[in-house]
Amino acid sequence: MSELSESFEYIVEEENERELLVIVPQNYNFFAVEELRFKKGKDVKLKVLSEEEYAKLIQDRISGENVVLEEEEEREEKSEDILFQRDTSPAVRLVNTVLIKASSVNASDVHFEPYEDEAVVRIRMDGVLHDYTKVSPSLYQEVVSRIKVMAKLNVAEKRIPQDGKIRVKIGKRDYDIRVSVVPTVFGERVVLRLLEKTGQLLTLSDLGLSKGDEEKVRRLAEKPYGIVLVTGPTGAGKSTTLYAMLLHVKNPKKNIITIEDPVEYQVKGISQIQVNPKVGLTFAQGLRAILRQDPDVIMVGEIRDPETAEVAVQAALTGHLVLSTLHTNDAPSAITRLKDLGIEPFLIASSLEGVIAQRLVRKICNNCKEPYKPSKEEIRELGLPEEDYTFYRGRGCEHCLGTGYRGRTGIFEVLEVDEDMKKLINETQDSVKIRQFARKKGYKTMLEDGIEKILKGITTSSEVLSVVK
């Protein structure tokens, strides 16, 4: 069985009475290998991999390990790819191992939670928290200190909340990690939000839109002016959809500027502004400044107050395409919300071009997917006629941490505002009447989109019902 050296300088792949087969990277440490030869008293044969292959191998090995750490050994920090860090201090090794695991399962957050007799480390994967390991109280203090040092926070201050940022490299992936430290009864609680700088942005084809909805969204993104809104609760993937639309229209002939809080993805060829209320740079102020920068497309992170809504509408009416988000439950409700923010109905009708409402659902793990016959109650809850259906679910396996789910996709409803709809908005902003009118024109709800994904074996009925009802 292969053995990973504590300093990540080599991997012992095979060993017999006379020799060792050792895997090393191209830039391997000659002295570390010689020390191994001396300690073992055996011939050492080397299998040399490129640095990229070696980093991938280490990541796979470490992310598959169970974390068992001793509370001893010394500390020596170097700023480098954490896959190759040679520090063997238990706290440093624990933090590195947790980050490597989080990276390998594409986790969004890592929680370090102290309790009376132990601390728990949990990882949020596909929107759901999973227990990863437990840490003794004495080691936990060192772990928190290590994270604070990495985030350049005050290690001595334990009475007030602190926020910071860590930049780390894990193999070929660069992360900006937002750090939040909050004091609790049993110690400081730490949450890390992982944002991958080198992450591949999703295109419109990757979002999970049905063919008809994808064509609608492409048409909306290609509008020369007007407002297009993406709605849904926090964590529904609204920003990802906006960026996919920006990528669709991005070209050297267009001036695209965004104002966000925070800037979640860095995109070459797009100017991005970070909101900073401390110096008076709000969404509304930033949006006014952007209008003097001769933009073609503007993305506003969120319309959250009447002032921002008013400036966004004016921008749309003066020949700019404005993409933004709102917190509403469905697409027709966005029109009611704009009225609540003080926008006159005739201005909503003139400026609004379309609304996309969305939620995220977990996808069934392809490694353990199995068919089953749903119960009558399950069919009734989805509002389907009683027929013979085949649904799918995940049994749970090592690839999905036993959850039966791996990855997420969106369920959507896309409302295009045509001339007839604009006339109706002038008359009424009642979301029920707008929905009824849109249904006559082929508008499909999120529940209907979710049912299509259930029947195709992409997700489960419980996932769809949990986010829609």
Side-chain angles (χ1 to χ4, degrees), residues 95-121:
V95 173
N96 286 0
T97 305
V98 169
L99 289 177
I100 291 165
K101 180 67 177 179
S103 171
S104 68
V105 298
N106 294 318
S108 59
D109 304 85
V110 179
H111 291 227
F112 294 83
E113 304 168 7
Y115 298 105
E116 190 170 10
D117 51 355
E118 65 185 8
V120 179
V121 180

PDB file of all heavy atoms in Angstrom, residues 95-121:
ATOM      1  N   VAL A  95      -5.437  22.304   8.859  1.00  0.00           N
ATOM      2  CA  VAL A  95      -6.017  23.360   8.018  1.00  0.00           C
ATOM      3  C   VAL A  95      -5.776  23.040   6.542  1.00  0.00           C
ATOM      4  O   VAL A  95      -6.683  23.114   5.714  1.00  0.00           O
ATOM      5  CB  VAL A  95      -5.440  24.745   8.389  1.00  0.00           C
ATOM      6  CG1 VAL A  95      -5.911  25.804   7.390  1.00  0.00           C
ATOM      7  CG2 VAL A  95      -5.861  25.141   9.803  1.00  0.00           C
ATOM      8  N   ASN A  96      -4.538  22.655   6.207  1.00  0.00           N
ATOM      9  CA  ASN A  96      -4.218  22.325   4.817  1.00  0.00           C
ATOM     10  C   ASN A  96      -5.043  21.149   4.304  1.00  0.00           C
ATOM     11  O   ASN A  96      -5.571  21.170   3.195  1.00  0.00           O
ATOM     12  CB  ASN A  96      -2.725  21.995   4.673  1.00  0.00           C
ATOM     13  CG  ASN A  96      -1.846  23.230   4.753  1.00  0.00           C
ATOM     14  OD1 ASN A  96      -2.366  24.336   4.915  1.00  0.00           O
ATOM     15  ND2 ASN A  96      -0.559  23.059   4.652  1.00  0.00           N
ATOM     16  N   THR A  97      -5.155  20.106   5.132  1.00  0.00           N
ATOM     17  CA  THR A  97      -5.891  18.910   4.722  1.00  0.00           C
ATOM     18  C   THR A  97      -7.375  19.228   4.501  1.00  0.00           C
ATOM     19  O   THR A  97      -7.981  18.764   3.537  1.00  0.00           O
ATOM     20  CB  THR A  97      -5.743  17.795   5.786  1.00  0.00           C
ATOM     21  OG1 THR A  97      -4.361  17.563   6.017  1.00  0.00           O
ATOM     22  CG2 THR A  97      -6.378  16.500   5.308  1.00  0.00           C
ATOM     23  N   VAL A  98      -7.942  20.051   5.397  1.00  0.00           N
ATOM     24  CA  VAL A  98      -9.351  20.432   5.253  1.00  0.00           C
ATOM     25  C   VAL A  98      -9.552  21.243   3.974  1.00  0.00           C
ATOM     26  O   VAL A  98     -10.505  21.011   3.221  1.00  0.00           O
ATOM     27  CB  VAL A  98      -9.828  21.228   6.489  1.00  0.00           C
ATOM     28  CG1 VAL A  98     -11.194  21.861   6.241  1.00  0.00           C
ATOM     29  CG2 VAL A  98      -9.895  20.328   7.717  1.00  0.00           C
ATOM     30  N   LEU A  99      -8.643  22.176   3.696  1.00  0.00           N
ATOM     31  CA  LEU A  99      -8.763  22.992   2.479  1.00  0.00           C
ATOM     32  C   LEU A  99      -8.613  22.138   1.224  1.00  0.00           C
ATOM     33  O   LEU A  99      -9.330  22.332   0.238  1.00  0.00           O
ATOM     34  CB  LEU A  99      -7.715  24.111   2.480  1.00  0.00           C
ATOM     35  CG  LEU A  99      -7.945  25.239   3.490  1.00  0.00           C
ATOM     36  CD1 LEU A  99      -6.805  26.242   3.439  1.00  0.00           C
ATOM     37  CD2 LEU A  99      -9.268  25.949   3.242  1.00  0.00           C
ATOM     38  N   ILE A 100      -7.691  21.177   1.260  1.00  0.00           N
ATOM     39  CA  ILE A 100      -7.500  20.286   0.102  1.00  0.00           C
ATOM     40  C   ILE A 100      -8.755  19.441  -0.124  1.00  0.00           C
ATOM     41  O   ILE A 100      -9.215  19.263  -1.253  1.00  0.00           O
ATOM     42  CB  ILE A 100      -6.245  19.397   0.305  1.00  0.00           C
ATOM     43  CG1 ILE A 100      -4.980  20.248   0.232  1.00  0.00           C
ATOM     44  CG2 ILE A 100      -6.178  18.284  -0.745  1.00  0.00           C
ATOM     45  CD1 ILE A 100      -3.732  19.567   0.755  1.00  0.00           C
ATOM     46  N   LYS A 101      -9.325  18.923   0.971  1.00  0.00           N
ATOM     47  CA  LYS A 101     -10.557  18.135   0.862  1.00  0.00           C
ATOM     48  C   LYS A 101     -11.690  18.990   0.303  1.00  0.00           C
ATOM     49  O   LYS A 101     -12.427  18.569  -0.602  1.00  0.00           O
ATOM     50  CB  LYS A 101     -10.944  17.589   2.243  1.00  0.00           C
ATOM     51  CG  LYS A 101     -12.225  16.752   2.238  1.00  0.00           C
ATOM     52  CD  LYS A 101     -12.041  15.473   1.460  1.00  0.00           C
ATOM     53  CE  LYS A 101     -13.273  14.598   1.510  1.00  0.00           C
ATOM     54  NZ  LYS A 101     -13.099  13.365   0.722  1.00  0.00           N
ATOM     55  N   ALA A 102     -11.820  20.222   0.831  1.00  0.00           N
ATOM     56  CA  ALA A 102     -12.884  21.127   0.375  1.00  0.00           C
ATOM     57  C   ALA A 102     -12.725  21.418  -1.114  1.00  0.00           C
ATOM     58  O   ALA A 102     -13.708  21.448  -1.863  1.00  0.00           O
ATOM     59  CB  ALA A 102     -12.844  22.423   1.177  1.00  0.00           C
ATOM     60  N   SER A 103     -11.484  21.599  -1.546  1.00  0.00           N
ATOM     61  CA  SER A 103     -11.224  21.865  -2.970  1.00  0.00           C
ATOM     62  C   SER A 103     -11.593  20.661  -3.823  1.00  0.00           C
ATOM     63  O   SER A 103     -12.202  20.795  -4.882  1.00  0.00           O
ATOM     64  CB  SER A 103      -9.747  22.217  -3.169  1.00  0.00           C
ATOM     65  OG  SER A 103      -9.422  22.267  -4.533  1.00  0.00           O
ATOM     66  N   SER A 104     -11.269  19.456  -3.340  1.00  0.00           N
ATOM     67  CA  SER A 104     -11.496  18.252  -4.147  1.00  0.00           C
ATOM     68  C   SER A 104     -12.975  17.921  -4.309  1.00  0.00           C
ATOM     69  O   SER A 104     -13.372  17.308  -5.288  1.00  0.00           O
ATOM     70  CB  SER A 104     -10.748  17.046  -3.549  1.00  0.00           C
ATOM     71  OG  SER A 104     -11.321  16.686  -2.322  1.00  0.00           O
ATOM     72  N   VAL A 105     -13.822  18.343  -3.332  1.00  0.00           N
ATOM     73  CA  VAL A 105     -15.268  18.074  -3.458  1.00  0.00           C
ATOM     74  C   VAL A 105     -16.036  19.322  -3.899  1.00  0.00           C
ATOM     75  O   VAL A 105     -17.262  19.354  -3.865  1.00  0.00           O
ATOM     76  CB  VAL A 105     -15.874  17.515  -2.138  1.00  0.00           C
ATOM     77  CG1 VAL A 105     -15.235  16.197  -1.765  1.00  0.00           C
ATOM     78  CG2 VAL A 105     -15.771  18.519  -0.989  1.00  0.00           C
ATOM     79  N   ASN A 106     -15.283  20.378  -4.312  1.00  0.00           N
ATOM     80  CA  ASN A 106     -15.882  21.641  -4.761  1.00  0.00           C
ATOM     81  C   ASN A 106     -16.817  22.235  -3.705  1.00  0.00           C
ATOM     82  O   ASN A 106     -17.937  22.662  -4.012  1.00  0.00           O
ATOM     83  CB  ASN A 106     -16.636  21.447  -6.085  1.00  0.00           C
ATOM     84  CG  ASN A 106     -15.694  21.092  -7.213  1.00  0.00           C
ATOM     85  OD1 ASN A 106     -14.615  21.656  -7.325  1.00  0.00           O
ATOM     86  ND2 ASN A 106     -16.088  20.135  -8.037  1.00  0.00           N
ATOM     87  N   ALA A 107     -16.343  22.236  -2.468  1.00  0.00           N
ATOM     88  CA  ALA A 107     -17.154  22.795  -1.369  1.00  0.00           C
ATOM     89  C   ALA A 107     -17.210  24.316  -1.475  1.00  0.00           C
ATOM     90  O   ALA A 107     -16.294  24.940  -2.005  1.00  0.00           O
ATOM     91  CB  ALA A 107     -16.550  22.384  -0.029  1.00  0.00           C
ATOM     92  N   SER A 108     -18.282  24.905  -0.958  1.00  0.00           N
ATOM     93  CA  SER A 108     -18.410  26.372  -0.984  1.00  0.00           C
ATOM     94  C   SER A 108     -17.986  26.995   0.345  1.00  0.00           C
ATOM     95  O   SER A 108     -17.541  28.134   0.382  1.00  0.00           O
ATOM     96  CB  SER A 108     -19.849  26.769  -1.291  1.00  0.00           C
ATOM     97  OG  SER A 108     -20.728  26.243  -0.309  1.00  0.00           O
ATOM     98  N   ASP A 109     -18.141  26.240   1.451  1.00  0.00           N
ATOM     99  CA  ASP A 109     -17.816  26.778   2.776  1.00  0.00           C
ATOM    100  C   ASP A 109     -17.228  25.684   3.657  1.00  0.00           C
ATOM    101  O   ASP A 109     -17.531  24.503   3.482  1.00  0.00           O
ATOM    102  CB  ASP A 109     -19.079  27.305   3.479  1.00  0.00           C
ATOM    103  CG  ASP A 109     -19.807  28.352   2.666  1.00  0.00           C
ATOM    104  OD1 ASP A 109     -20.615  27.972   1.796  1.00  0.00           O
ATOM    105  OD2 ASP A 109     -19.559  29.540   2.894  1.00  0.00           O
ATOM    106  N   VAL A 110     -16.409  26.123   4.631  1.00  0.00           N
ATOM    107  CA  VAL A 110     -15.907  25.214   5.659  1.00  0.00           C
ATOM    108  C   VAL A 110     -16.219  25.846   7.012  1.00  0.00           C
ATOM    109  O   VAL A 110     -15.951  27.038   7.225  1.00  0.00           O
ATOM    110  CB  VAL A 110     -14.381  24.986   5.537  1.00  0.00           C
ATOM    111  CG1 VAL A 110     -13.899  24.062   6.647  1.00  0.00           C
ATOM    112  CG2 VAL A 110     -14.020  24.408   4.171  1.00  0.00           C
ATOM    113  N   HIS A 111     -16.824  25.069   7.929  1.00  0.00           N
ATOM    114  CA  HIS A 111     -17.188  25.570   9.265  1.00  0.00           C
ATOM    115  C   HIS A 111     -16.306  24.904  10.322  1.00  0.00           C
ATOM    116  O   HIS A 111     -16.172  23.681  10.332  1.00  0.00           O
ATOM    117  CB  HIS A 111     -18.649  25.226   9.588  1.00  0.00           C
ATOM    118  CG  HIS A 111     -19.638  25.977   8.751  1.00  0.00           C
ATOM    119  ND1 HIS A 111     -20.730  26.608   9.291  1.00  0.00           N
ATOM    120  CD2 HIS A 111     -19.713  26.198   7.422  1.00  0.00           C
ATOM    121  CE1 HIS A 111     -21.430  27.187   8.327  1.00  0.00           C
ATOM    122  NE2 HIS A 111     -20.826  26.942   7.174  1.00  0.00           N
ATOM    123  N   PHE A 112     -15.738  25.714  11.213  1.00  0.00           N
ATOM    124  CA  PHE A 112     -15.014  25.202  12.381  1.00  0.00           C
ATOM    125  C   PHE A 112     -15.840  25.611  13.598  1.00  0.00           C
ATOM    126  O   PHE A 112     -15.925  26.812  13.914  1.00  0.00           O
ATOM    127  CB  PHE A 112     -13.612  25.808  12.470  1.00  0.00           C
ATOM    128  CG  PHE A 112     -12.693  25.408  11.340  1.00  0.00           C
ATOM    129  CD1 PHE A 112     -12.735  26.071  10.120  1.00  0.00           C
ATOM    130  CD2 PHE A 112     -11.781  24.370  11.501  1.00  0.00           C
ATOM    131  CE1 PHE A 112     -11.888  25.709   9.082  1.00  0.00           C
ATOM    132  CE2 PHE A 112     -10.926  24.001  10.467  1.00  0.00           C
ATOM    133  CZ  PHE A 112     -10.972  24.667   9.253  1.00  0.00           C
ATOM    134  N   GLU A 113     -16.463  24.636  14.276  1.00  0.00           N
ATOM    135  CA  GLU A 113     -17.444  24.946  15.324  1.00  0.00           C
ATOM    136  C   GLU A 113     -17.006  24.371  16.670  1.00  0.00           C
ATOM    137  O   GLU A 113     -16.941  23.147  16.835  1.00  0.00           O
ATOM    138  CB  GLU A 113     -18.813  24.370  14.933  1.00  0.00           C
ATOM    139  CG  GLU A 113     -19.304  24.855  13.581  1.00  0.00           C
ATOM    140  CD  GLU A 113     -20.507  24.069  13.076  1.00  0.00           C
ATOM    141  OE1 GLU A 113     -21.035  23.248  13.842  1.00  0.00           O
ATOM    142  OE2 GLU A 113     -20.909  24.286  11.914  1.00  0.00           O
ATOM    143  N   PRO A 114     -16.706  25.233  17.670  1.00  0.00           N
ATOM    144  CA  PRO A 114     -16.282  24.733  18.982  1.00  0.00           C
ATOM    145  C   PRO A 114     -17.481  24.413  19.882  1.00  0.00           C
ATOM    146  O   PRO A 114     -18.457  25.159  19.901  1.00  0.00           O
ATOM    147  CB  PRO A 114     -15.478  25.909  19.547  1.00  0.00           C
ATOM    148  CG  PRO A 114     -16.114  27.111  18.939  1.00  0.00           C
ATOM    149  CD  PRO A 114     -16.660  26.701  17.591  1.00  0.00           C
ATOM    150  N   TYR A 115     -17.386  23.282  20.597  1.00  0.00           N
ATOM    151  CA  TYR A 115     -18.393  22.924  21.601  1.00  0.00           C
ATOM    152  C   TYR A 115     -17.668  22.581  22.897  1.00  0.00           C
ATOM    153  O   TYR A 115     -16.446  22.668  22.978  1.00  0.00           O
ATOM    154  CB  TYR A 115     -19.267  21.774  21.102  1.00  0.00           C
ATOM    155  CG  TYR A 115     -20.031  22.153  19.856  1.00  0.00           C
ATOM    156  CD1 TYR A 115     -19.657  21.670  18.601  1.00  0.00           C
ATOM    157  CD2 TYR A 115     -21.105  23.048  19.915  1.00  0.00           C
ATOM    158  CE1 TYR A 115     -20.329  22.056  17.442  1.00  0.00           C
ATOM    159  CE2 TYR A 115     -21.785  23.434  18.772  1.00  0.00           C
ATOM    160  CZ  TYR A 115     -21.391  22.940  17.533  1.00  0.00           C
ATOM    161  OH  TYR A 115     -22.046  23.334  16.407  1.00  0.00           O
ATOM    162  N   GLU A 116     -18.410  22.153  23.916  1.00  0.00           N
ATOM    163  CA  GLU A 116     -17.830  21.996  25.257  1.00  0.00           C
ATOM    164  C   GLU A 116     -16.654  21.022  25.289  1.00  0.00           C
ATOM    165  O   GLU A 116     -15.604  21.319  25.851  1.00  0.00           O
ATOM    166  CB  GLU A 116     -18.916  21.539  26.233  1.00  0.00           C
ATOM    167  CG  GLU A 116     -18.457  21.574  27.680  1.00  0.00           C
ATOM    168  CD  GLU A 116     -19.620  21.350  28.642  1.00  0.00           C
ATOM    169  OE1 GLU A 116     -20.719  20.986  28.190  1.00  0.00           O
ATOM    170  OE2 GLU A 116     -19.393  21.536  29.832  1.00  0.00           O
ATOM    171  N   ASP A 117     -16.821  19.827  24.675  1.00  0.00           N
ATOM    172  CA  ASP A 117     -15.776  18.805  24.809  1.00  0.00           C
ATOM    173  C   ASP A 117     -15.020  18.523  23.513  1.00  0.00           C
ATOM    174  O   ASP A 117     -14.083  17.739  23.505  1.00  0.00           O
ATOM    175  CB  ASP A 117     -16.384  17.500  25.343  1.00  0.00           C
ATOM    176  CG  ASP A 117     -17.612  17.082  24.537  1.00  0.00           C
ATOM    177  OD1 ASP A 117     -18.024  17.860  23.643  1.00  0.00           O
ATOM    178  OD2 ASP A 117     -18.153  15.992  24.797  1.00  0.00           O
ATOM    179  N   GLU A 118     -15.422  19.147  22.406  1.00  0.00           N
ATOM    180  CA  GLU A 118     -14.717  18.946  21.135  1.00  0.00           C
ATOM    181  C   GLU A 118     -15.140  20.022  20.149  1.00  0.00           C
ATOM    182  O   GLU A 118     -16.127  20.733  20.372  1.00  0.00           O
ATOM    183  CB  GLU A 118     -15.032  17.556  20.554  1.00  0.00           C
ATOM    184  CG  GLU A 118     -16.488  17.396  20.164  1.00  0.00           C
ATOM    185  CD  GLU A 118     -16.848  16.000  19.695  1.00  0.00           C
ATOM    186  OE1 GLU A 118     -16.005  15.100  19.802  1.00  0.00           O
ATOM    187  OE2 GLU A 118     -17.986  15.824  19.219  1.00  0.00           O
ATOM    188  N   ALA A 119     -14.385  20.135  19.065  1.00  0.00           N
ATOM    189  CA  ALA A 119     -14.768  21.042  17.976  1.00  0.00           C
ATOM    190  C   ALA A 119     -15.065  20.188  16.750  1.00  0.00           C
ATOM    191  O   ALA A 119     -14.467  19.129  16.553  1.00  0.00           O
ATOM    192  CB  ALA A 119     -13.641  22.016  17.685  1.00  0.00           C
ATOM    193  N   VAL A 120     -16.003  20.649  15.935  1.00  0.00           N
ATOM    194  CA  VAL A 120     -16.416  19.901  14.747  1.00  0.00           C
ATOM    195  C   VAL A 120     -16.053  20.702  13.503  1.00  0.00           C
ATOM    196  O   VAL A 120     -16.257  21.920  13.458  1.00  0.00           O
ATOM    197  CB  VAL A 120     -17.944  19.635  14.772  1.00  0.00           C
ATOM    198  CG1 VAL A 120     -18.389  18.888  13.520  1.00  0.00           C
ATOM    199  CG2 VAL A 120     -18.330  18.856  16.021  1.00  0.00           C
ATOM    200  N   VAL A 121     -15.498  20.011  12.512  1.00  0.00           N
ATOM    201  CA  VAL A 121     -15.232  20.643  11.209  1.00  0.00           C
ATOM    202  C   VAL A 121     -16.280  20.112  10.233  1.00  0.00           C
ATOM    203  O   VAL A 121     -16.447  18.895  10.093  1.00  0.00           O
ATOM    204  CB  VAL A 121     -13.815  20.305  10.693  1.00  0.00           C
ATOM    205  CG1 VAL A 121     -13.581  20.987   9.336  1.00  0.00           C
ATOM    206  CG2 VAL A 121     -12.756  20.740  11.698  1.00  0.00           C
TER     207      VAL A 121
END
